[in-house]
Amino acid sequence: MKLLPLALNVQNRRCVIFGAGAVARRKALSLLECGAQLLVVAPHFDESWADFSCEKSMRLYQTGDCAGALLIFACTNDVEVNRQIADEAHQLNILCNVADEGEAGDFHSMAALRRGDICIGISTSGGSPALSRHLKEKIGETIGPEYDSLLDSLAARREALPQVMKEQSQRAAFWRAVLGSDILNLLRAGQTEDAEKLLQTFLTTDH
C-alpha cells in the first residue's frame, strides 16, 4: 500500500487518543510536541501520565467522542472498541489511526527524527515499526545537530536572498555552493563563527 507523506500542522487543533498504554503515550508526546489540543480517553492512567499537560478523561469510549477532532487515534487494547472508534471517525469524515491494525485506519504515524525544525519521517506502511526505528537510528547517525544550525543560518537569510541575487539560477547555484562547502564540517566541529564567515562569502560571490 502506497502512503502519501504529509507534514501536518496540528497547532491548537483538537486531537483525541483512546487508550493510555505505551503506544498512546508515544502518540501523545508527538502531538503535544507539535502543539495539538489533546484529549486522552481511557479508563485508567498510570503514573507515567502525570507530567502530560493535556485533557484526560478517565472513562471508556462513548459514541460522540470523535466529534470536532482533526485526528483520532484508536489505541485501546480492545480490537472491537478500536473498530467502533474508527467507524465513528469515518462517519464524521475524520482521519483515524488504528493501533496494531493499520489497514483499518486512514494513516500511520511515522518514526520521526527531529533536528530543530528539520523533521525526517520514516514509514514502512505499517509493515515493521521495528525497522522504522532502526532506520531512524541509522539516519540519526548521519544527520546531526549541525544541520539544525545550518538551517537557522539559511532561514535567517532566505528573505533577503532575492534582493542580493535577482535570478533564480543564481540562488540555485548559491544553495548548491553552500551545501557542497565545508560549512557543515565547521558546524560539526563547533566552529560556528568560521561557518558564518564562509556562508557570508557565498552571498558576495557571483554564481
Side-chain angles (χ1 to χ4, degrees):
M1 176 173 57
K2 297 292 184 183
L3 297 177
L4 178 67
L6 293 174
L8 186 63
N9 181 7
V10 298
Q11 181 79 33
N12 296 322
R13 301 296 298 274
R14 179 177 174 82
C15 298
V16 184
I17 295 175
F18 296 92
V23 173
R25 284 196 300 274
R26 288 198 298 272
K27 295 183 186 300
L29 282 170
S30 296
L31 288 165
L32 290 172
E33 183 180 17
C34 296
Q37 184 186 87
L38 180 61
L39 166 64
V40 183
V41 178
H44 173 72
F45 293 88
D46 63 26
E47 63 278 2
S48 67
W49 285 90
D51 295 329
F52 280 71
S53 57
C54 62
E55 182 182 356
K56 305 180 192 76
S57 185
M58 195 176 296
R59 59 175 175 79
L60 296 171
Y61 157 74
Q62 299 172 359
T63 301
D65 281 342
C66 295
L70 174 69
L71 299 175
I72 297 294
F73 297 82
C75 305
T76 78
N77 57 8
D78 188 315
V79 173
E80 183 54 36
V81 171
N82 284 345
R83 288 177 179 172
Q84 291 174 16
I85 294 167
D87 286 344
E88 179 184 339
H90 292 155
Q91 290 170 11
L92 296 172
N93 291 318
I94 299 171
L95 296 177
C96 181
N97 171 263
V98 182
D100 299 326
E101 198 177 4
E103 292 191 1
D106 303 299
F107 67 97
H108 301 294
S109 296
M110 292 187 180
L113 173 71
R114 293 187 182 276
R115 295 287 185 259
D117 286 338
I118 297 172
C119 181
I120 301 169
I122 302 106
S123 172
T124 56
S125 297
S128 176
L131 179 57
S132 293
R133 289 192 293 272
H134 172 77
L135 291 171
K136 174 184 172 180
E137 292 174 2
K138 289 296 184 184
I139 294 170
E141 293 171 2
T142 301
I143 309 298
E146 67 275 6
Y147 281 86
D148 179 37
S149 299
L150 177 60
L151 175 61
D152 287 342
S153 295
L154 295 176
R157 293 170 169 85
R158 185 178 180 188
E159 288 187 7
L161 193 61
Q163 300 172 20
V164 179
M165 300 175 185
K166 305 295 186 183
E167 300 296 328
Q168 194 280 332
S169 59
Q170 289 179 299
R171 298 193 292 273
F174 165 78
W175 295 120
R176 287 195 299 271
V178 168
L179 295 173
S181 72
D182 284 332
I183 289 177
L184 281 169
N185 290 329
L186 291 170
L187 291 171
R188 196 175 291 119
Q191 299 175 29
T192 305
E193 187 174 334
D194 290 337
E196 285 290 331
K197 288 179 180 177
L198 180 55
L199 179 58
Q200 193 61 35
T201 64
F202 288 114
L203 285 169
T204 56
T205 303
D206 290 333
H207 296 282

